[in-house]
Amino acid sequence: MATISFIGRILFVSVFVLSAYQEFSEFGSDGGPAAKALGPKFNVLSKHVATHIGFELPHVEMKHLILGAIVLKGLGSLLFIFGSTVGAVLLLVHQAVASPVLYDFYNYDVDKKEFVQLFFKFSQNLALLGALLFFIGMKNSMPMRSSSSSSKKKGPKAKAN
């Protein structure tokens, strides 16, 4: 069962590893295509936050955000493969922050082609987010195994006369 779980975790993180690898290989000096795609979406998010909440987001270089995403996905994936809850939390943070920004279907009309495409991708990321929450919940609900001798079953005690 442990082998199947390990293989499942490897297959699960392949999405994050391949994405991080692609972003890393295209990074360049300006953050690559990912930074160019994220820039306008982040600007729209900043305007929404400023308009609705009254808080202005600080200026951030897109290449720094992309680098942060690469680190979160890479480190989170590595830790998750070995069953770490910390790895799952890192991937969870990435999904929770990146999904609404990258897949901003809410900025398009329902009858537009972009709405359907972005909503579909957002829904897929929600499924990944749900799987991470499931992993964290299962990991926290399982009792800790102890390797000490006290956890071994002992025979019944002899009655003292």
Side-chain angles (χ1 to χ4, degrees):
M1 193 65 165
T3 304
I4 292 172
S5 178
F6 182 71
I7 291 170
R9 289 192 305 271
I10 288 174
L11 292 173
F12 181 81
V13 300
S14 67
V15 173
F16 298 103
V17 171
L18 293 173
S19 171
Y21 176 75
Q22 180 182 4
E23 290 171 0
F24 178 76
S25 65
E26 297 174 343
F27 192 76
S29 62
D30 61 350
K36 290 180 183 81
L38 180 63
K41 292 178 183 272
F42 188 79
N43 291 337
V44 169
L45 173 73
S46 297
K47 288 177 187 172
H48 279 305
V49 169
T51 303
H52 298 294
I53 299 175
F55 175 74
E56 192 169 321
L57 294 176
H59 174 73
V60 180
E61 290 285 332
M62 291 304 111
K63 65 181 179 180
H64 296 148
L65 289 178
I66 298 302
L67 183 61
I70 292 170
V71 169
L72 276 176
K73 288 187 275 189
L75 183 60
S77 295
L78 182 66
L79 294 173
F80 185 81
I81 286 174
F82 295 107
S84 170
T85 304
V86 174
V89 169
L90 290 175
L91 294 174
L92 183 81
V93 166
H94 174 268
Q95 287 299 100
V97 171
S99 294
V101 175
L102 293 176
Y103 307 115
D104 59 342
F105 65 92
Y106 46 84
N107 287 326
Y108 296 90
D109 291 329
V110 177
D111 54 343
K112 297 281 186 183
K113 179 182 172 185
E114 292 88 1
F115 177 88
V116 175
Q117 291 172 341
L118 291 170
F119 185 74
F120 183 71
K121 289 180 180 182
F122 180 79
S123 299
Q124 288 176 331
N125 277 16
L126 278 182
L128 293 174
L129 190 83
L132 289 165
L133 287 171
F134 179 77
F135 176 83
I136 292 168
M138 289 299 292
K139 194 79 169 168
N140 290 333
S141 69
M142 293 183 345
M144 299 296 287
R145 286 195 282 178
S146 176
S147 61
S148 68
S149 61
S150 64
S151 66
K152 295 179 183 175
K153 288 191 174 188
K154 295 181 180 178
K157 290 185 177 181
K159 292 184 178 181
N161 292 342

